[in-house]
Amino acid sequence: MEDLGEVLSHLPHAQDPNLLVGTATGDDAAVYRLAEGVLTVHTADFFPPIVDDAYDFGAIAAVNALSDVYAMGGRPLIALNIACFPEDLPRETLGRILRGAGDAAREAGVVIGGGHTVKDAELKFGLAVTGVVEEASLLTNAGARPGDALVLTKPVGTGIITTAAKAQQCGEETLAEAVRTMRLLNRAASEAAVAAGARAATDVTGFGLIGHLTGMMRASGASAQVRLSSVPLLPGTRELLERGFAPGGTRANLDAANATTAWDAQLSEDDRLLLCDAQTSGGLLIAVAQERLGALEAELAARGADGAAVGAVAERRADGALVAASV
Ligand code: CO
Ligand code: CO
């Protein structure tokens, strides 16, 4: 579930007191209190192919959908396939997509209980996911506090790299590394965030690092600082950007970010595009109290997960900017 900025104003704000997280905060998934102490997490996410290989596409779409449950500090349990499938595509392609998704779900300990397929001119695939979360473990967009450190658990650049790959202009190794990170479950990052006592997280997807950070700051009533030099980039990202490969979504993200971001004048147009690159199945962006940063880094390392401290949360800026970006 991705609802940011202007889109939010069109959504009805549900009144059910059992809906603990709904549309108001642009969070990654809805959280519902089923009974005292039993919270369920719900999300649906599907999109057109971002890579040519049908198996990889299915796996990445599944990992991306599961990520919204992990971003809430939850544990996904059951998922349903959502497929829009052109009549002229071979059935084998759909089979490979479903196998990729099934393997990713199995790795996550998630059962696929069914799904629905419709005919459509454009192929799309994803999952609807249901999970559970402990109330004390809930990570929301509204939980960041001034003084928190910001930690990002995957490198940025998948939008730029997959755009170059579609134009056959991306080296095999560059694409393979991007696919490897998109295929990586955010489970370890989520468990580490919960274990370290973090209260806020989101996954970095279509709105890019700045866009999702902006959503978190809006919901938390704070402003953030982010340093480009601290943001891990996938190998080859900057070179492909310099050759002009940036998806339309990344450019649209930069246009949107200009309204709420204080840019350091030293940041070039390309620097700003990197911070706005539209990601698929990106990492978790975790806000954790500065004194718990070491604990989070240790919990990530213990699970074999990466984490880079990319900035900090501060009081809401006097100029109203939600994010300040520097070199
Ligand atoms: Co989503
Ligand atoms: Co999300």
Side-chain angles (χ1 to χ4, degrees), residues 158-178:
T158 59
I160 289 161
I161 288 172
T162 55
T163 297
K166 277 179 191 152
Q168 320 287 338
Q169 294 296 316
C170 172
E172 242 173 70
E173 276 177 33
T174 301
L175 179 61
E177 178 60 10

PDB file of all heavy atoms in Angstrom, residues 158-178:
ATOM      1  N   THR A 158      17.972   1.020  -8.381  1.00  0.00           N
ATOM      2  CA  THR A 158      17.284   0.013  -9.205  1.00  0.00           C
ATOM      3  C   THR A 158      16.444   0.634 -10.321  1.00  0.00           C
ATOM      4  O   THR A 158      16.291   0.013 -11.382  1.00  0.00           O
ATOM      5  CB  THR A 158      16.391  -0.905  -8.346  1.00  0.00           C
ATOM      6  OG1 THR A 158      15.411  -0.116  -7.667  1.00  0.00           O
ATOM      7  CG2 THR A 158      17.212  -1.664  -7.323  1.00  0.00           C
ATOM      8  N   GLY A 159      15.924   1.832 -10.114  1.00  0.00           N
ATOM      9  CA  GLY A 159      15.123   2.474 -11.164  1.00  0.00           C
ATOM     10  C   GLY A 159      15.986   2.817 -12.371  1.00  0.00           C
ATOM     11  O   GLY A 159      15.641   2.524 -13.521  1.00  0.00           O
ATOM     12  N   ILE A 160      17.138   3.442 -12.090  1.00  0.00           N
ATOM     13  CA  ILE A 160      18.055   3.847 -13.157  1.00  0.00           C
ATOM     14  C   ILE A 160      18.598   2.613 -13.880  1.00  0.00           C
ATOM     15  O   ILE A 160      18.640   2.562 -15.116  1.00  0.00           O
ATOM     16  CB  ILE A 160      19.190   4.705 -12.548  1.00  0.00           C
ATOM     17  CG1 ILE A 160      18.632   6.087 -12.134  1.00  0.00           C
ATOM     18  CG2 ILE A 160      20.360   4.851 -13.518  1.00  0.00           C
ATOM     19  CD1 ILE A 160      19.477   6.838 -11.131  1.00  0.00           C
ATOM     20  N   ILE A 161      18.979   1.581 -13.120  1.00  0.00           N
ATOM     21  CA  ILE A 161      19.580   0.377 -13.722  1.00  0.00           C
ATOM     22  C   ILE A 161      18.562  -0.386 -14.570  1.00  0.00           C
ATOM     23  O   ILE A 161      18.867  -0.805 -15.694  1.00  0.00           O
ATOM     24  CB  ILE A 161      20.200  -0.510 -12.622  1.00  0.00           C
ATOM     25  CG1 ILE A 161      21.471   0.161 -12.086  1.00  0.00           C
ATOM     26  CG2 ILE A 161      20.508  -1.911 -13.159  1.00  0.00           C
ATOM     27  CD1 ILE A 161      22.078  -0.516 -10.876  1.00  0.00           C
ATOM     28  N   THR A 162      17.333  -0.574 -14.062  1.00  0.00           N
ATOM     29  CA  THR A 162      16.356  -1.345 -14.852  1.00  0.00           C
ATOM     30  C   THR A 162      15.906  -0.559 -16.082  1.00  0.00           C
ATOM     31  O   THR A 162      15.560  -1.153 -17.106  1.00  0.00           O
ATOM     32  CB  THR A 162      15.132  -1.759 -14.001  1.00  0.00           C
ATOM     33  OG1 THR A 162      14.542  -0.604 -13.409  1.00  0.00           O
ATOM     34  CG2 THR A 162      15.531  -2.743 -12.916  1.00  0.00           C
ATOM     35  N   THR A 163      15.945   0.773 -16.006  1.00  0.00           N
ATOM     36  CA  THR A 163      15.619   1.578 -17.180  1.00  0.00           C
ATOM     37  C   THR A 163      16.682   1.401 -18.260  1.00  0.00           C
ATOM     38  O   THR A 163      16.366   1.236 -19.451  1.00  0.00           O
ATOM     39  CB  THR A 163      15.483   3.063 -16.791  1.00  0.00           C
ATOM     40  OG1 THR A 163      14.392   3.175 -15.873  1.00  0.00           O
ATOM     41  CG2 THR A 163      15.208   3.951 -17.999  1.00  0.00           C
ATOM     42  N   ALA A 164      17.946   1.398 -17.855  1.00  0.00           N
ATOM     43  CA  ALA A 164      19.039   1.161 -18.809  1.00  0.00           C
ATOM     44  C   ALA A 164      18.964  -0.260 -19.362  1.00  0.00           C
ATOM     45  O   ALA A 164      19.220  -0.487 -20.553  1.00  0.00           O
ATOM     46  CB  ALA A 164      20.385   1.406 -18.129  1.00  0.00           C
ATOM     47  N   ALA A 165      18.593  -1.213 -18.519  1.00  0.00           N
ATOM     48  CA  ALA A 165      18.514  -2.612 -18.971  1.00  0.00           C
ATOM     49  C   ALA A 165      17.433  -2.778 -20.032  1.00  0.00           C
ATOM     50  O   ALA A 165      17.591  -3.536 -20.988  1.00  0.00           O
ATOM     51  CB  ALA A 165      18.253  -3.532 -17.786  1.00  0.00           C
ATOM     52  N   LYS A 166      16.301  -2.064 -19.861  1.00  0.00           N
ATOM     53  CA  LYS A 166      15.226  -2.145 -20.856  1.00  0.00           C
ATOM     54  C   LYS A 166      15.694  -1.631 -22.206  1.00  0.00           C
ATOM     55  O   LYS A 166      15.214  -2.073 -23.249  1.00  0.00           O
ATOM     56  CB  LYS A 166      13.999  -1.349 -20.382  1.00  0.00           C
ATOM     57  CG  LYS A 166      13.120  -2.162 -19.436  1.00  0.00           C
ATOM     58  CD  LYS A 166      11.924  -1.370 -18.940  1.00  0.00           C
ATOM     59  CE  LYS A 166      11.256  -2.120 -17.799  1.00  0.00           C
ATOM     60  NZ  LYS A 166      10.561  -1.247 -16.859  1.00  0.00           N
ATOM     61  N   ALA A 167      16.637  -0.690 -22.191  1.00  0.00           N
ATOM     62  CA  ALA A 167      17.205  -0.158 -23.437  1.00  0.00           C
ATOM     63  C   ALA A 167      18.429  -0.960 -23.881  1.00  0.00           C
ATOM     64  O   ALA A 167      19.161  -0.510 -24.777  1.00  0.00           O
ATOM     65  CB  ALA A 167      17.576   1.314 -23.239  1.00  0.00           C
ATOM     66  N   GLN A 168      18.656  -2.108 -23.260  1.00  0.00           N
ATOM     67  CA  GLN A 168      19.805  -2.987 -23.578  1.00  0.00           C
ATOM     68  C   GLN A 168      21.126  -2.249 -23.393  1.00  0.00           C
ATOM     69  O   GLN A 168      22.092  -2.509 -24.106  1.00  0.00           O
ATOM     70  CB  GLN A 168      19.730  -3.504 -25.039  1.00  0.00           C
ATOM     71  CG  GLN A 168      18.367  -3.897 -25.537  1.00  0.00           C
ATOM     72  CD  GLN A 168      17.872  -5.211 -24.947  1.00  0.00           C
ATOM     73  OE1 GLN A 168      18.663  -6.030 -24.491  1.00  0.00           O
ATOM     74  NE2 GLN A 168      16.566  -5.409 -24.931  1.00  0.00           N
ATOM     75  N   GLN A 169      21.197  -1.330 -22.431  1.00  0.00           N
ATOM     76  CA  GLN A 169      22.398  -0.513 -22.258  1.00  0.00           C
ATOM     77  C   GLN A 169      23.055  -0.747 -20.901  1.00  0.00           C
ATOM     78  O   GLN A 169      23.889   0.047 -20.474  1.00  0.00           O
ATOM     79  CB  GLN A 169      22.036   0.977 -22.403  1.00  0.00           C
ATOM     80  CG  GLN A 169      21.586   1.365 -23.791  1.00  0.00           C
ATOM     81  CD  GLN A 169      22.685   1.195 -24.816  1.00  0.00           C
ATOM     82  OE1 GLN A 169      23.834   1.553 -24.593  1.00  0.00           O
ATOM     83  NE2 GLN A 169      22.355   0.578 -25.953  1.00  0.00           N
ATOM     84  N   CYS A 170      22.682  -1.828 -20.241  1.00  0.00           N
ATOM     85  CA  CYS A 170      23.198  -2.084 -18.903  1.00  0.00           C
ATOM     86  C   CYS A 170      24.001  -3.372 -18.920  1.00  0.00           C
ATOM     87  O   CYS A 170      23.549  -4.384 -19.454  1.00  0.00           O
ATOM     88  CB  CYS A 170      22.016  -2.188 -17.948  1.00  0.00           C
ATOM     89  SG  CYS A 170      22.449  -2.732 -16.303  1.00  0.00           S
ATOM     90  N   GLY A 171      25.199  -3.351 -18.345  1.00  0.00           N
ATOM     91  CA  GLY A 171      26.032  -4.547 -18.274  1.00  0.00           C
ATOM     92  C   GLY A 171      25.359  -5.643 -17.459  1.00  0.00           C
ATOM     93  O   GLY A 171      24.571  -5.359 -16.554  1.00  0.00           O
ATOM     94  N   GLU A 172      25.698  -6.908 -17.813  1.00  0.00           N
ATOM     95  CA  GLU A 172      25.068  -8.054 -17.150  1.00  0.00           C
ATOM     96  C   GLU A 172      25.298  -8.050 -15.643  1.00  0.00           C
ATOM     97  O   GLU A 172      24.391  -8.332 -14.860  1.00  0.00           O
ATOM     98  CB  GLU A 172      25.647  -9.345 -17.741  1.00  0.00           C
ATOM     99  CG  GLU A 172      24.618 -10.223 -18.432  1.00  0.00           C
ATOM    100  CD  GLU A 172      25.278 -11.404 -19.136  1.00  0.00           C
ATOM    101  OE1 GLU A 172      25.769 -12.279 -18.418  1.00  0.00           O
ATOM    102  OE2 GLU A 172      25.305 -11.413 -20.385  1.00  0.00           O
ATOM    103  N   GLU A 173      26.550  -7.746 -15.240  1.00  0.00           N
ATOM    104  CA  GLU A 173      26.871  -7.777 -13.803  1.00  0.00           C
ATOM    105  C   GLU A 173      26.133  -6.698 -13.045  1.00  0.00           C
ATOM    106  O   GLU A 173      25.688  -6.906 -11.911  1.00  0.00           O
ATOM    107  CB  GLU A 173      28.380  -7.586 -13.598  1.00  0.00           C
ATOM    108  CG  GLU A 173      29.162  -8.875 -13.743  1.00  0.00           C
ATOM    109  CD  GLU A 173      30.665  -8.647 -13.607  1.00  0.00           C
ATOM    110  OE1 GLU A 173      31.066  -7.749 -12.830  1.00  0.00           O
ATOM    111  OE2 GLU A 173      31.416  -9.360 -14.284  1.00  0.00           O
ATOM    112  N   THR A 174      25.998  -5.520 -13.681  1.00  0.00           N
ATOM    113  CA  THR A 174      25.293  -4.410 -13.037  1.00  0.00           C
ATOM    114  C   THR A 174      23.844  -4.797 -12.788  1.00  0.00           C
ATOM    115  O   THR A 174      23.306  -4.591 -11.686  1.00  0.00           O
ATOM    116  CB  THR A 174      25.367  -3.155 -13.932  1.00  0.00           C
ATOM    117  OG1 THR A 174      26.736  -2.842 -14.139  1.00  0.00           O
ATOM    118  CG2 THR A 174      24.658  -1.971 -13.304  1.00  0.00           C
ATOM    119  N   LEU A 175      23.210  -5.385 -13.813  1.00  0.00           N
ATOM    120  CA  LEU A 175      21.808  -5.789 -13.651  1.00  0.00           C
ATOM    121  C   LEU A 175      21.685  -6.913 -12.625  1.00  0.00           C
ATOM    122  O   LEU A 175      20.776  -6.911 -11.784  1.00  0.00           O
ATOM    123  CB  LEU A 175      21.217  -6.232 -14.993  1.00  0.00           C
ATOM    124  CG  LEU A 175      19.760  -6.694 -14.926  1.00  0.00           C
ATOM    125  CD1 LEU A 175      18.840  -5.574 -14.441  1.00  0.00           C
ATOM    126  CD2 LEU A 175      19.278  -7.225 -16.283  1.00  0.00           C
ATOM    127  N   ALA A 176      22.623  -7.870 -12.672  1.00  0.00           N
ATOM    128  CA  ALA A 176      22.545  -9.011 -11.750  1.00  0.00           C
ATOM    129  C   ALA A 176      22.610  -8.551 -10.296  1.00  0.00           C
ATOM    130  O   ALA A 176      21.900  -9.077  -9.430  1.00  0.00           O
ATOM    131  CB  ALA A 176      23.664 -10.001 -12.051  1.00  0.00           C
ATOM    132  N   GLU A 177      23.452  -7.564 -10.020  1.00  0.00           N
ATOM    133  CA  GLU A 177      23.561  -7.067  -8.639  1.00  0.00           C
ATOM    134  C   GLU A 177      22.279  -6.337  -8.227  1.00  0.00           C
ATOM    135  O   GLU A 177      21.817  -6.476  -7.083  1.00  0.00           O
ATOM    136  CB  GLU A 177      24.787  -6.157  -8.499  1.00  0.00           C
ATOM    137  CG  GLU A 177      25.001  -5.545  -7.136  1.00  0.00           C
ATOM    138  CD  GLU A 177      25.191  -6.565  -6.000  1.00  0.00           C
ATOM    139  OE1 GLU A 177      25.338  -7.778  -6.279  1.00  0.00           O
ATOM    140  OE2 GLU A 177      25.165  -6.144  -4.837  1.00  0.00           O
ATOM    141  N   ALA A 178      21.677  -5.590  -9.154  1.00  0.00           N
ATOM    142  CA  ALA A 178      20.402  -4.923  -8.844  1.00  0.00           C
ATOM    143  C   ALA A 178      19.318  -5.966  -8.567  1.00  0.00           C
ATOM    144  O   ALA A 178      18.546  -5.842  -7.610  1.00  0.00           O
ATOM    145  CB  ALA A 178      19.991  -4.000  -9.991  1.00  0.00           C
TER     146      ALA A 178
END
